[in-house]
Amino acid sequence: MLALPAGPDPAEEHRREVLRKGRANTKPRRLKAAGAGSAARLPDGSRCSQVTLCHVKRWLMGQESKDVGWRPPMAFAAIAVATFVAHRLWPSFCPAAPNETMIACAREWIGALSGWFAFAAAAASIPYLIRQWQEARKQTRFIIGDDDPTLDVVEHLQEENRLVVRIVNWNRRAVFVTGISASTKTRPEHMDGDIGIWQVETIDGVSEGGEFPIQINGWEHRGGRPRFARIDLLLLRRISAKEPGSYRDEQVPFPRDAKIAAKMRMLGNVHRIFELDADAFPQE
């Protein structure tokens, strides 16, 4: 009896078919070079179409900050190579002394240009040093309690045609709000007479109405909450009433370009008078 060859195993055929389909549907991952038809994106959002150009721009922009140590040797090496090439192309570029070699010529050029490189590096670092000094000064003023108060203006979330002015005293000295005014570009004159105070809230409580000056104590206990004053403002317009010669106030909305200004007086060995202002609405 002849033995017939065994047929293919169905399970093995199924496994091979699954593997074949998986390889066909899987795309290999490859790094796309910034050559023709592609562009690499830099931190500032620009693109460059050459790999070498991208590397040079990244190097100049300081993206490879971990490799700062190799930049000075590379700069000196570039000067040496440039000196060698210039000497070969223009012999008079570096006239040779009786016992002077090409290395000595390159060393002299490096020594001559090192001072200019140091000057350029020092000049480039001046804006960063000034910015660092300004930030350190701000931090010091805040820590010792010499920072100025701040003023924020926002629309009331529940009441229509009402603004909320919040003044926070970050200074250790007490301040007084001596007046609040509103001005607009469409209406140049200040609307002092039309500003009405609905209520004033401080850390000590809430008072209806409100009269100037409004006192805000200094922030003496730096571990606690800074002193503040929340002032709800209304814009009122005087209109004639039914009775002859009488008037009444009508609440109207603030103009969209309104700017709120608060006059402040800070106590100290020398009293200081200044003004804080802020836009009433977001400006586009």
Side-chain angles (χ1 to χ4, degrees):
M1 180 180 296
L2 297 176
L4 297 176
D9 187 5
E12 183 67 19
E13 287 294 330
H14 178 70
R15 186 179 67 84
R16 291 179 181 178
E17 184 67 19
V18 171
L19 292 177
R20 184 180 64 81
K21 292 182 178 180
R23 292 193 185 99
N25 295 331
T26 302
K27 295 182 179 179
R29 292 184 59 189
R30 62 175 63 181
L31 297 177
K32 192 175 183 180
S38 63
R41 184 178 293 275
L42 295 173
D44 60 350
S46 61
R47 292 177 178 269
C48 54
S49 58
Q50 299 294 333
V51 177
T52 305
L53 179 60
C54 288
H55 290 169
V56 171
K57 291 187 70 175
R58 290 193 184 101
W59 187 80
L60 293 176
M61 293 168 59
Q63 180 179 356
E64 301 174 0
S65 58
K66 297 181 180 179
D67 301 330
V68 175
W70 61 269
R71 295 181 185 180
M74 286 297 297
F76 288 113
I79 295 175
V81 172
T83 304
F84 176 78
V85 173
H87 178 73
R88 289 297 182 183
L89 297 178
W90 301 283
S92 60
F93 173 76
C94 187
N99 298 324
E100 188 178 22
T101 61
M102 196 64 203
I103 298 178
C105 180
R107 184 172 61 249
E108 291 179 2
W109 273 102
I110 292 174
L113 297 177
S114 60
W116 289 102
F117 282 120
F119 173 77
S125 63
I126 289 177
Y128 299 97
L129 295 177
I130 294 177
R131 192 179 309 167
Q132 185 177 5
W133 170 74
Q134 292 175 348
E135 293 297 329
R137 185 181 180 185
K138 291 180 181 179
Q139 294 179 5
T140 303
R141 286 174 54 86
F142 182 81
I143 292 174
I144 65 178
D146 282 342
D147 207 1
D148 291 334
T150 57
L151 181 144
D152 301 317
V153 183
V154 67
E155 293 182 84
H156 202 286
L157 298 179
Q158 298 178 352
E159 299 295 336
E160 189 178 2
N161 300 333
R162 186 181 301 182
L163 295 180
V164 177
V165 177
R166 180 178 174 87
I167 302 175
V168 182
N169 186 14
W170 304 100
N171 202 289
R172 66 180 185 272
R173 304 174 181 87
V175 295
F176 290 89
V177 184
T178 59
I180 295 180
S181 60
S183 61
T184 65
K185 296 180 180 178
T186 56
R187 185 179 177 184
E189 66 271 13
H190 286 274
M191 296 176 288
D192 300 272
D194 297 337
I195 289 290
I197 298 179
W198 179 259
Q199 67 178 13
V200 177
E201 177 184 357
T202 62
I203 199 170
D204 299 325
V206 180
S207 61
E208 299 295 336
E211 296 180 357
F212 296 112
I214 301 173
Q215 181 178 351
I216 309 176
N217 295 327
W219 190 20
E220 298 178 352
H221 304 285
R222 308 300 289 183
R225 184 180 182 183
R227 299 300 189 261
F228 69 94
R230 168 182 165 167
I231 307 171
D232 291 8
L233 297 182
L234 303 174
L235 183 59
L236 304 176
R237 181 176 59 185
R238 177 170 294 186
I239 60 176
S240 301
K242 295 181 179 180
E243 299 180 0
S246 61
Y247 299 91
R248 64 183 181 88
D249 292 331
E250 180 185 12
Q251 184 177 348
V252 295
F254 283 88
R256 301 303 298 182
D257 60 343
K259 183 181 290 291
I260 305 299
K263 298 179 181 179
M264 312 290 296
R265 185 175 76 245
M266 180 177 292
L267 302 183
N269 52 350
V270 177
H271 289 199
R272 177 184 167 202
I273 299 176
F274 58 97
E275 187 173 288
L276 302 175
D277 58 11
D279 293 329
F281 302 95
Q283 303 297 321
E284 299 180 356

